[in-house]
Amino acid sequence: MSKTLFDKIWEKHVVKQIEGGPSVFYIDTHFIHEVTSPQAFAGLNKRGIKVFRPHQVVATADHNVPTLNQHLPIKEELSRLQVEALIKNCAEHGIELYGLGHPYQGIVHVIGPELGITQPGKTYVCGDSHTSTHGAFGSIAFGIGTSEVEMVLATQCLMQSKPKLMRIHVDGVLNKGVVSKDIILYIISKISASGATGYAVEFAGSAIRSLSMEARMTICNMSIEMGARCGLIAPDETTFNYIKGRPLAPKGELWETNLTYWKTLYSDADATFDSEIFIKAEDIEPMITYGTNPGMGIGVSQHIPSLNEVDAKEKTSFEKSLHYMGLQPGENIKGKKVDYVFIGSCTNSRIEDLRMVASFVKGKKKAQDVEVWIVPGSKQVEAQAKQEGIDKVLEEAGFMLRQPGCSACLGMNEDKIPAGKYCISTSNRNFEGRQGPNARTFLASPLSAAVAAITGKVSDVREFLN
Amino acid sequence: MNHNPNTNFKMSKSINIIKSSIVPLHAENVDTDQIIPARFLKATSRDGFGKNLFRDWRFENDDESTPKKDFVLNNPTYAGKILVAGKNFGCGSSREHAAWAIKDYGFDVVVSSFFADIFKNNALNNFLLPVIVSENFLQKIFTAVEADSKTELEINLEQQTIKLLSNSPSGVGGESFEINNYKKTCLLNGYDDIDYLLSIQSDIEQFEKTI
Ligand code: SF4
């Protein structure tokens, strides 16, 4: 029988099917971090049990860590306590921790792939919704809550109902200045922030195939922003080449056996999906969001919808959203003043993102009244950037290169955007208050963020490319 | 059902019938950053999140002494154990703290026409019942509670029904709702998934040998 990529992986991980209920679903690797794990460990202690498979758990500190002076003790007391709790829990249960100061430390969804932990055909969970990132390698990866973190720590399993399946094809050639972030912002703007709820989404088509691994991760990363349970892309040569030689990737004979299996991981030609969507790459221009959910995005040359373009039922929330953003219905987004530029987060903080920014800003200077924070996704990205001299290019442009962590993506540490200020951000969420109380967020690609840093305004990067 | 957890860890609370007045929250796409902003996620226990529920909608300039008057939780007209909100409730982050905050504040049920996936699971794992109603019925609830703030909802989990009890003529009616059968059994009996999974540990070990 013909099968989808998702089916092939799913079936291999069902321990037991409960009649009329969910499946007992096996998890290969469980990523944990300091914010959503302490209560789960407390739960284990209360039950008097140990972590079931400590070697299948990987820990890092990322959500709450400072991005300056990481060698010093964390100043903020509660943040410090969370990080200390993680250290203690990992030590007690024999879990590998890539904590502050470790050369592998970084945002959980950046370090998994770069260390070679993320591989095709496997299952991954983490107490963080952007776990969907790892699906770019052709795996099933999704975010879970803390009770489920406890469940996986205790048994390496979850109770899961199989989601419906959607496939989104993106075919054709991308326009100049358009990168993978624009693809995913475009898709979400078309199907809305809840358009894929209840689905696992496979991304396919020639435009997806042509993307690098890091660009594919950006797409799967944001599948949660349209409500999807997870996103995935069939592995191919690009995937295999990326994994090969990474610190924790299989080696020698094991590599060969894995590779043979990985090559069977694709949706069969006649496999069926519950829903299919077709998108032309040529239709996509550099995207930017104007509202307070990631579905409120437009091409940078377009205007914010006017009131009569909005569905009657959506009007109230649309107006509330624009009010929060300090924007008017029907006005152009291009030319809007920007106060902060944040280039970082598990969506766009990898080495290719920094290279993209550096090659654009080389020899240019940031606008005077703009503050630019570049937060690499991991210690390894940071080291690589320094090795390539990217840090110098950014410094000369007046950008500040900080240390790895989630930072202003969720404003949990001190990296917050002040109330009322506008930030163009390469992260994934523009919710009210996400980057700090009353902060206003425009989501965009690293390239669009870089051009805004230079002009101080929302700008069309295509006008600056030759 | 093949579900036979040991009962040592029975959750403190099982649910079946809940009858209460309503707190109406007229907003769609209520995301978990609104339910509980990230800066309040620094605790290492599950308790006390209720006081920061909807923090930035509740207070002016993050100051607890200046509540925003127009926000429904600050309006003494409305109270109860049932929160009713617009579609796509709980979207965004996987933080279970959102479910903890709602429960800790005193709600036992959230009614909406659409829930985000992870939130729904988190709610169920915390004995906070997410009830999915039709868009029509949702509007009906809003209208009824507007006409009469004492309007009540009665939810019967066993029967999977939700009923409006109101003095206003527009406020009668009800419908049935869907819930995963397995989850329903857990909620009715106070079982939790971990008990069950621990009870089949040998099956899991057996499975591991095959991969
Ligand atoms: S960078 Fe943002 S979205 Fe990614 S893991 Fe950190 S907080 Fe979550």
Side-chain angles (χ1 to χ4, degrees):
Chain A
M1 211 186 85
S2 56
K3 287 180 183 162
T4 64
L5 167 62
F6 184 90
D7 289 325
K8 290 179 184 177
I9 308 169
W10 176 270
E11 283 165 12
K12 263 194 137 48
H13 289 84
V14 174
V15 175
K16 195 173 178 152
Q17 174 70 48
I18 292 174
E19 217 181 302
S23 302
V24 176
F25 189 67
Y26 192 79
I27 303 304
D28 292 312
T29 301
H30 182 192
F31 294 103
I32 60 169
H33 61 84
E34 76 279 23
V35 175
T36 55
S37 67
Q39 293 87 349
F41 282 106
L44 293 189
N45 291 343
K46 210 165 140 200
R47 289 170 198 269
I49 53 175
K50 283 285 186 193
V51 170
F52 180 54
R53 293 290 178 247
H55 298 304
Q56 286 169 249
V57 187
V58 177
T60 190
D62 56 359
H63 279 61
N64 208 349
V65 301
T67 56
L68 293 174
N69 295 319
Q70 286 185 345
H71 62 290
L72 298 177
I74 301 176
K75 276 199 233 125
E76 220 268 328
E77 197 196 347
L78 291 175
S79 306
R80 196 180 64 241
L81 290 178
Q82 266 189 343
V83 172
E84 283 170 1
L86 182 70
I87 296 172
K88 181 173 146 279
N89 287 328
C90 287
E92 252 175 49
H93 291 268
I95 294 167
E96 182 85 64
L97 167 64
Y98 302 129
L100 278 186
H102 194 288
Y104 289 170
Q105 181 266 337
I107 305 175
V108 58
H109 312 310
V110 174
I111 68 168
E114 85 184 354
L115 294 176
I117 298 170
T118 308
Q119 296 165 18
K122 296 251 164 90
T123 53
Y124 301 91
V125 291
C126 174
D128 183 282
S129 56
H130 294 93
T131 309
S132 57
T133 312
H134 307 262
F137 290 77
S139 63
I140 296 182
F142 51 89
I144 54 177
T146 297
S147 297
E148 292 172 313
V149 171
E150 185 179 339
M151 223 174 280
V152 181
L153 289 176
T155 67
Q156 208 58 34
C157 287
L158 273 177
M159 307 297 284
Q160 279 294 302
S161 301
K162 195 172 166 197
K164 291 182 284 180
L165 300 181
M166 177 187 288
R167 179 160 59 183
I168 301 181
H169 304 255
V170 188
D171 282 298
V173 179
L174 291 174
N175 293 315
K176 186 177 75 168
V178 175
V179 294
S180 71
K181 180 66 162 284
D182 301 303
I183 302 181
I184 189 66
L185 284 174
Y186 180 84
I187 295 173
I188 304 169
S189 77
K190 290 290 164 208
I191 74 169
S192 92
S194 59
T197 302
Y199 288 92
V201 178
E202 180 176 343
F203 297 93
S206 59
I208 301 290
R209 287 271 141 255
S210 71
L211 297 175
S212 71
M213 254 351 271
E214 298 195 354
R216 291 180 191 183
M217 284 186 238
T218 303
I219 300 219
C220 287
N221 173 278
M222 286 194 73
S223 29
I224 179 71
E225 304 311 333
M226 47 191 191
R229 192 82 183 107
C230 63
L232 66 172
I233 295 173
D236 57 13
E237 287 305 318
T238 306
T239 322
F240 311 143
N241 290 335
Y242 179 94
I243 301 172
K244 197 164 187 178
R246 294 197 173 256
L248 300 172
K251 309 222 154 51
E253 212 175 297
L254 204 55
W255 170 263
E256 294 305 328
T257 356
N258 272 293
L259 192 62
T260 313
Y261 169 55
W262 293 348
K263 288 185 173 167
T264 66
L265 296 172
Y266 51 82
S267 289
D268 297 330
D270 47 357
T272 54
F273 290 80
D274 301 291
S275 166
E276 298 218 50
I277 292 173
F278 295 85
I279 289 185
K280 285 204 212 87
E282 292 77 9
D283 291 346
I284 308 174
E285 62 170 313
M287 295 289 295
I288 185 146
T289 64
Y290 59 87
T292 53
N293 77 57
M296 301 175 86
I298 49 176
V300 68
S301 70
Q302 293 164 20
H303 64 80
I304 296 168
S306 54
L307 281 180
N308 53 23
E309 287 168 308
V310 180
D311 198 271
K313 274 206 275 185
E314 318 258 302
K315 218 165 244 171
T316 323
S317 44
F318 175 79
E319 282 180 313
K320 182 168 170 281
S321 178
L322 286 198
H323 177 75
Y324 179 87
M325 289 296 291
L327 298 169
Q328 297 303 319
E331 70 174 340
N332 287 333
I333 190 87
K334 203 173 103 181
K336 284 284 149 203
K337 169 89 182 76
V338 166
D339 307 295
Y340 284 77
V341 177
F342 172 61
I343 296 175
S345 90
C346 57
T347 315
N348 285 119
S349 65
R350 297 182 176 80
I351 190 67
E352 283 181 14
D353 300 310
L354 300 201
R355 282 187 194 132
M356 192 191 309
V357 172
S359 75
F360 181 81
V361 303
K362 193 167 184 155
K364 301 187 179 78
K365 281 254 180 292
K366 75 167 181 73
Q368 256 188 351
D369 49 355
V370 173
E371 183 141 351
V372 187
W373 296 342
I374 315 261
V375 182
S378 70
K379 283 312 259 186
Q380 297 219 77
V381 171
E382 185 187 27
Q384 181 74 21
K386 287 190 173 156
Q387 200 188 322
E388 294 180 20
I390 289 175
D391 57 332
K392 294 274 163 349
V393 174
L394 298 176
E395 256 162 52
E396 276 159 26
F399 296 5
M400 184 180 210
L401 184 65
R402 301 171 79 104
Q403 291 171 306
C406 294
S407 180
C409 170
L410 87 165
M412 197 168 166
N413 67 354
E414 42 288 273
D415 306 349
K416 293 182 181 63
I417 306 302
K421 297 290 182 195
Y422 289 94
C423 176
I424 187 162
S425 175
T426 66
S427 57
N428 40 54
R429 286 186 176 141
N430 50 358
F431 297 150
E432 284 181 32
R434 171 81 178 180
Q435 298 196 287
N438 287 311
R440 293 157 163 170
T441 305
F442 298 125
L443 297 177
S445 78
L447 213 46
S448 295
V451 66
I454 305 300
T455 61
K457 294 186 285 237
V458 173
S459 307
D460 188 339
V461 67
R462 292 170 296 185
E463 294 165 14
F464 297 79
L465 298 170
N466 34 38
Chain B
M1 194 185 319
N2 195 0
H3 181 269
N4 183 27
N6 76 54
T7 43
N8 290 344
F9 290 104
K10 250 198 181 187
M11 284 290 216
S12 50
K13 218 168 156 194
S14 54
I15 32 183
N16 185 12
I17 296 167
I18 297 154
K19 183 166 165 256
S20 164
S21 52
I22 304 160
V23 176
L25 178 62
H26 287 270
E28 295 182 346
N29 298 312
V30 175
D31 60 75
T32 50
D33 276 83
Q34 302 323 313
I35 299 172
I36 180 96
R39 59 189 192 283
F40 301 110
L41 306 185
K42 300 189 185 207
T44 49
S45 80
R46 288 171 179 247
D47 311 317
F49 287 98
K51 73 173 194 297
N52 294 318
L53 175 67
F54 294 117
R55 176 80 186 200
D56 293 336
W57 285 351
R58 253 163 94 189
F59 303 113
E60 217 65 79
N61 307 318
D62 204 8
D63 174 3
E64 282 165 56
S65 60
T66 47
K68 292 186 182 174
K69 288 208 182 56
D70 55 353
F71 186 60
V72 66
L73 292 193
N74 297 327
N75 182 343
T77 319
Y78 301 108
K81 292 187 201 155
I82 303 175
L83 179 69
V84 180
K87 73 161 188 269
N88 201 24
F89 187 87
C91 59
S93 132
S94 62
R95 61 186 71 159
E96 193 162 312
H97 313 67
W100 299 337
I102 296 173
K103 187 84 186 176
D104 187 52
Y105 186 87
F107 292 111
D108 287 331
V109 179
V110 187
V111 176
S112 176
S113 55
F114 198 96
F115 288 94
D117 253 2
I118 306 181
F119 176 82
K120 192 166 68 187
N121 278 339
N122 287 342
L124 289 166
N125 284 334
N126 289 282
F127 291 71
L128 172 69
L129 181 65
V131 175
I132 307 163
V133 295
S134 66
E135 194 59 48
N136 270 341
F137 191 61
L138 182 70
Q139 292 315 321
K140 202 163 180 174
I141 302 173
F142 280 135
T143 316
V145 77
E146 217 161 273
D148 170 14
S149 65
K150 298 279 170 299
T151 298
E152 291 190 320
L153 278 170
E154 184 180 276
I155 288 140
N156 184 320
L157 176 61
E158 171 99 68
Q159 308 282 328
Q160 295 181 220
T161 55
I162 175 166
K163 214 160 57 188
L164 259 174
L165 310 167
S166 169
N167 292 327
S168 105
S170 59
V172 282
E175 60 181 29
S176 59
F177 63 90
E178 292 288 314
I179 182 164
N180 178 299
N181 209 20
Y182 165 80
K183 271 295 167 196
K184 179 172 154 182
T185 313
C186 290
L187 293 176
L188 286 171
N189 297 293
Y191 299 157
D192 87 352
D193 285 344
I194 303 184
D195 296 333
Y196 171 65
L197 289 172
L198 287 171
S199 74
I200 60 157
Q201 192 150 323
S202 58
D203 292 345
I204 299 173
E205 284 166 358
Q206 206 52 46
F207 172 86
E208 285 178 321
K209 295 199 183 109
T210 68
I211 51 174

